[in-house]
Amino acid sequence: MLEDAETGKPVLFTRLVVRFPDGWTGHTWSSSGGLSASVGPTGLSAGRHDYTVGLSEMEAPLGALGRGTVWVLPADTPVMWLDAAAIVPMGEAEAAGTVWLSTTQGDVVDAVKMLATGRQAVYLVAAEAAGYASARRRLADLRVPPGPVFWVRPTDELSRLQGLQQVWPSVEGAVVSAPVIAAAAERLRVRTGRVPCAGGPERRADVLDAWREAVEHLSVPRGPVR
């Protein structure tokens, strides 16, 4: 997603260059909505592969650079979906989240680590493009288990999660706080544990109790879906 840093508006019909550390280079264009997509290199090994996206040498400013990650995992990898809004304050909660961060976030991160034991953590961000970028940076600042940060575009929640489930179908559960994520996960028959949004008005004890219940609920192996 290419946006103007000052106005927040999409930058349209602009050529972008995708580069991987091994020298692979590809080109793409931002669309009428500012989105772009590209087919990357083939034959990537299992694991994490970072890349950069920038303007072509014919465009200014040359310093504009974004970073992304491709995750290559076997299709049968057991995964745990984690709603980013339950881990880092987002939207209106960002401004009021300072106290929450200092008193609660460490315990939440510990709970996330427990849920990710033996599973691949996949972080779901239901937000506009700027909110996704902010959430991804905030998650990177924490010592949460590494994993894909997946953009769940607003109004497209069900189809986005359905596509994610097709890539890694062994979804062992989801910790959710955003109602739209919860509804989509339940439609897809994914077990859910409900917790408050990060930075919300709930008491610290209530937040930790909700996470404790989610960990207990989702730590039990799931039987076959019928």
Side-chain angles (χ1 to χ4, degrees), residues 66 77-79 96 98 106 116 121 128 134 143-144 162 167 172 199 205 216-217:
T77 298
V79 300
T98 303
E128 299 293 347
S134 174
R143 295 182 178 179
V144 293
Q162 192 171 37
V167 174
E172 297 200 348
E216 291 175 357
H217 173 54

Side-chain angles (χ1 to χ4, degrees), residues 208-221:
L208 299 186
D209 283 345
W211 273 95
R212 190 177 301 111
E213 291 176 5
V215 170
E216 291 175 357
H217 173 54
L218 299 177
S219 294
V220 177

